Amino acid sequence: MQSVSAGLVSPRTFISGRLPFVLHASILIALLAASSAPTPLYSRYQAQWRLSALDITVVFGAYALALLIALLTTGTLSDHIGRRPVLMGALAVQVASMTLFATAGGLTTLIGARVLQGIATGAATGAAGAALLDLESSARPGRSALANSIAPVTGMAAGVLGATLLVRFAPGPTTTVYVALIALFVAQTAALAWTSETARPRPGALRSMRPRPALPPAAAHALLLNGAGVVAVWALGGFYSSLGPAFTRLVSPGGPESAGGMVFFTLTAVAAPTVYFTRRMRADVSALLGSCAVIPAVGLSLGALCLADPVPLFAGAALAGFGFGAVSQGALRAVIGSVPAHRKGGALASYHALAYLAMSLPAIGAGALTAGFGLRTAALAYAGCVAVLAGIAVTALSGPLRGRRTSPGPSHPGPKVKNTAPVPADTATHVPCVLATHNR
């Protein structure tokens, strides 16, 4: 079922068919690529401007906290004024952010660029994700949920890889990468101007910008059940994204400069196919398996620190990527699966608010701990906290599964009665599309 109403199509709209879906997915990918592009450049910024580990995590945290504020205030705005106006405004702010990055001359400008980037990404994430849900088609069920799960990690992987290659081969990498992103965002804005609106505007836009919970009870319960796992994997991603290059140098001081960015690339590159291959797995099982993978991933990273060997570090990053992908897509499907169509933008914003809060605050804390006690101590403390969270997630998610397996059956033999009651979609052995409620 195509959710776009014919009455919303402008006479000047030329982009139709599959192209709007591809465009909105590409916007999500580009936004997250831009968010991870500075990671391979942090070591260069540190050397050029004499920045500390705390400075780097403040730069990283400024982005995530600005993104969180944008999600809380504009997360449901596109449900009221439409997806396209929010996206076009966000892309304009993103272009301004990339311009600041390209001309940055110190820490203050870098923080300002990251704040603008966070605002743009936060405003656009909910709108682009909701537009993908609007474009759900009965001919290809599940593609919207898959795109919402796989686009962010694909974008982060592409951003880190592209910036790493530019650091290695291109002249002026701290400028070139942002100029390329500016050109991409301008092209996407132009294409967006010729697409149809996917949501029917409704009143209450200003009221919707007051921060408040935007989750129905069923979705709130799903987020609470998956919360520890979501916090664990996103906190681990925040560590690799902000302090990953410095941690890699601590493990392998003589390694190439590009190795720091490639550790985070390994995490995101594994996360993307994990999202795809676990898409038909039941959401709670996927989140449970991902949470289980986090604990040995942390152990491998600490082993690399003790052995001064980068091989366990990259193996741990790959395992962390599996955990990130499995938990993220499982939790996201569980949260938005029971949300009505007109509230999906707010539900996505609530999920991403928790994710980016988990990505930013622990990373800032790790930076402060590094400044006071050193990176080795900070890494040990961080790993311990993430492992505890993963253990809580495993306990929370395995409880309902045990209850389902041990639910009592008939206490005595009797005549077989055919069960004619429909099986709920969220308890089926395999769910081809958790978003079936969107088409009801």
Side-chain angles (χ1 to χ4, degrees):
M1 181 188 78
Q2 198 80 332
S3 298
V4 182
S5 171
L8 297 177
V9 180
S10 167
R12 67 192 184 102
T13 297
F14 295 117
I15 297 180
S16 60
R18 295 181 181 178
L19 290 180
F21 189 90
V22 174
L23 174 61
H24 286 92
S26 75
I27 290 173
L28 272 181
I29 291 172
L31 288 168
L32 273 299
S35 77
S36 64
T39 297
L41 302 174
Y42 282 148
S43 58
R44 186 159 294 205
Y45 290 142
Q46 280 186 282
Q48 185 175 349
W49 300 328
R50 299 173 183 266
L51 302 181
S52 67
L54 179 59
D55 292 330
I56 293 300
T57 55
V58 167
V59 171
F60 174 79
Y63 158 78
L65 290 177
L67 187 149
L68 175 64
I69 292 171
L71 281 170
L72 293 174
T73 54
T74 66
T76 60
L77 185 61
S78 71
D79 291 336
H80 296 271
I81 67 173
R83 319 299 187 201
R84 189 166 61 175
V86 174
L87 285 173
M88 294 185 74
L91 289 176
V93 175
Q94 187 76 311
V95 168
S97 167
M98 296 296 102
T99 303
L100 272 182
F101 270 120
T103 58
L107 179 62
T108 303
T109 310
L110 204 59
I111 291 174
R114 282 299 252 176
V115 168
L116 283 181
Q117 185 180 40
I119 292 171
T121 306
T125 297
L132 290 172
L133 296 175
D134 295 336
L135 294 165
E136 176 74 358
S137 170
S138 58
R140 300 186 66 185
R143 69 169 185 170
S144 296
L146 179 62
N148 267 303
S149 298
I150 204 170
V153 288
T154 301
M156 286 189 285
V160 171
L161 180 60
T164 299
L165 291 175
L166 289 174
V167 166
R168 178 70 178 84
F169 298 110
T174 56
T175 300
T176 307
V177 61
Y178 301 117
V179 171
L181 286 167
I182 287 172
L184 176 59
F185 289 126
V186 169
Q188 288 176 330
T189 304
L192 197 61
W194 296 101
T195 60
S196 60
E197 178 56 66
T198 64
R200 188 176 297 278
R202 54 192 177 93
L206 290 178
R207 190 167 58 251
S208 74
M209 296 183 71
R210 290 181 300 184
R212 66 190 189 281
L215 285 175
H221 174 74
L223 190 58
L224 181 63
L225 184 65
N226 290 274
V230 171
V231 172
V233 296
W234 282 85
L236 197 55
F239 181 85
Y240 279 121
S241 180
S242 59
L243 293 176
F247 186 72
T248 305
R249 286 200 308 275
L250 183 64
V251 170
S252 179
E257 181 184 2
S258 60
M262 292 308 293
V263 170
F264 185 60
F265 169 75
T266 300
L267 186 151
T268 52
V270 172
T274 299
V275 170
Y276 181 81
F277 288 116
T278 59
R279 71 193 188 283
R280 297 191 183 279
M281 191 179 291
R282 201 169 61 206
D284 54 352
V285 175
S286 175
L288 176 60
L289 288 177
S291 298
C292 289
V294 169
I295 298 174
V298 167
L300 283 169
S301 295
L302 293 182
L305 186 60
C306 295
L307 298 172
D309 185 353
V311 174
L313 176 61
F314 279 89
L319 197 54
F322 172 82
F324 191 101
V327 171
S328 295
Q329 72 89 19
L332 184 61
R333 282 194 291 137
V335 170
I336 64 176
S338 59
V339 179
H342 67 280
R343 298 188 66 180
K344 289 191 183 295
L348 281 169
S350 297
Y351 169 83
H352 287 299
L354 174 64
Y356 285 104
L357 188 63
M359 199 176 195
S360 59
L361 292 184
I364 294 174
L369 198 60
T370 298
F373 300 95
L375 182 55
R376 182 181 294 270
T377 301
L380 290 171
Y382 204 97
C385 292
V386 169
V388 169
L389 283 169
I392 293 172
V394 170
T395 303
L397 291 164
S398 59
L401 287 176
R402 283 197 303 267
R404 185 178 290 116
R405 285 196 302 266
T406 60
S407 57
S411 57
H412 57 80
K416 293 184 179 180
V417 180
K418 183 178 181 181
N419 181 13
T420 57
V423 179
D426 59 347
T427 59
T429 304
H430 65 280
V431 185
C433 177
V434 181
L435 294 175
T437 53
H438 181 56
N439 294 327
R440 289 176 187 169

